[in-house]
Amino acid sequence: MPSIVLIIISVILSACGQVAMKMGASSLTSNNDMLLLKFLHYFTNLPIMVGLALYGLSAFIWIAALEKVQLSYAYPMAALGYVLVAVLSFLVFNEPLSLTRIVGLAIIVVGVVVISQS
């Protein structure tokens, strides 16, 4: 599989993992500050566990991509995760996407495209 495909799959899985973890975190109702109880709530929350699994799978695919390309090429591509998370947050959580944020995300995309041409 081409390295760019591995990178894109890794970024998508990572972003989806972040969204799933946010879904799980948003559903938590306990205000308990005891760390052990917090972890218990995290590890018994299905969306958080799905998010962690997606994040872990993303890491293994990322490693497979790094076997094939230079880190200085691959790592800037991870910035596409910021763009994808912003779009998914807008679509899933109705988070605002201001003009300033959109411009910033567009700058990230342009930067990734420029780096991908190198």
Side-chain angles (χ1 to χ4, degrees):
M1 188 174 300
S3 57
I4 189 71
V5 173
L6 291 172
I7 292 168
I8 290 169
I9 291 170
S10 175
V11 169
I12 290 170
L13 288 173
S14 175
C16 290
Q18 289 292 330
V19 170
M21 287 187 279
K22 172 63 176 172
M23 284 178 163
S26 296
S27 72
L28 295 175
T29 57
S30 172
N31 290 329
N32 197 323
D33 286 334
M34 268 187 66
L35 191 57
L36 187 59
L37 287 176
K38 268 193 181 300
F39 283 160
L40 181 62
H41 284 126
Y42 296 162
F43 287 112
T44 57
N45 184 291
L46 184 60
I48 289 176
M49 296 312 300
V50 168
L52 287 172
L54 290 172
Y55 213 62
L57 182 58
S58 167
F60 283 110
I61 293 172
W62 182 256
I63 292 166
L66 291 180
E67 287 180 45
K68 300 178 178 194
V69 298
Q70 297 174 350
L71 181 60
S72 61
Y73 173 82
Y75 197 68
M77 306 265 178
L80 292 175
Y82 295 118
V83 177
L84 188 52
V85 167
V87 170
L88 290 172
S89 296
F90 173 76
L91 296 173
V92 175
F93 303 116
N94 296 314
E95 292 183 4
L97 264 181
S98 66
L99 180 60
T100 304
R101 193 170 292 179
I102 291 169
V103 169
L105 295 171
I107 290 169
I108 291 171
V109 171
V110 169
V112 169
V113 169
V114 168
I115 288 171
S116 72
Q117 302 302 312
S118 66

